[in-house]
Amino acid sequence: MIRIVIALICSVVWVSVPVNAQLLPNNTNLNAQSVQRWMQTNRDIAPIVQVVDSVNTTEEEIKAFEALPALAQDQKITAILKANNLEDAANKVIHKHGWKSVGEYMRLSSKLGNAIAAYFLFGDLGKLTEEQAKQLKEKADPAILAVPRSDIEFIKRNEKSLQQYIKAYGAGR
């Protein structure tokens, strides 16, 4: 009887790890769960992200950081957090909201921001002449032009729930 109970406990523990991992949203793509998690995290993580963002001040530094693979970004972010005694606070926030790292949150933020910008850009293009549209595309950030159509459609489908973030972006334009 004891062997059966131990076997059951072991099988539940062993099976529960992959099941729990599957319940977490995919935080690399825009989907309802990841964006909801992103919105819930904003207030808690804002001071931490401000410190991380303050390190890369020039356009070149920002682009160089964004060009790094995710692991290298996370290592740099961890070093910044350690240097500013924010590692424990950051870990509490990311674990509370189910992120793997501050970098993962920031990458989804960038993806969402680019998708909102592309939503506006491509919406504006439909209202312009062909020449105006061409000029606008030439001036646009390549990251925004590279946003997948599926991300733009996600913003369109979820415009109501993202309204305050879309308004904030629109006000900054």
Side-chain angles (χ1 to χ4, degrees), residues 42-54:
N42 279 338
R43 184 164 285 143
D44 292 343
I45 205 166
I48 295 162
V49 171
Q50 284 178 328
V51 171
V52 173
D53 283 345
S54 72

Side-chain angles (χ1 to χ4, degrees), residues 97-115:
H97 295 286
W99 298 94
K100 294 177 190 101
S101 66
V102 172
E104 181 186 40
Y105 167 85
M106 292 176 70
R107 287 184 288 278
L108 188 79
S109 292
S110 293
K111 187 169 187 67
L112 181 59
N114 287 342

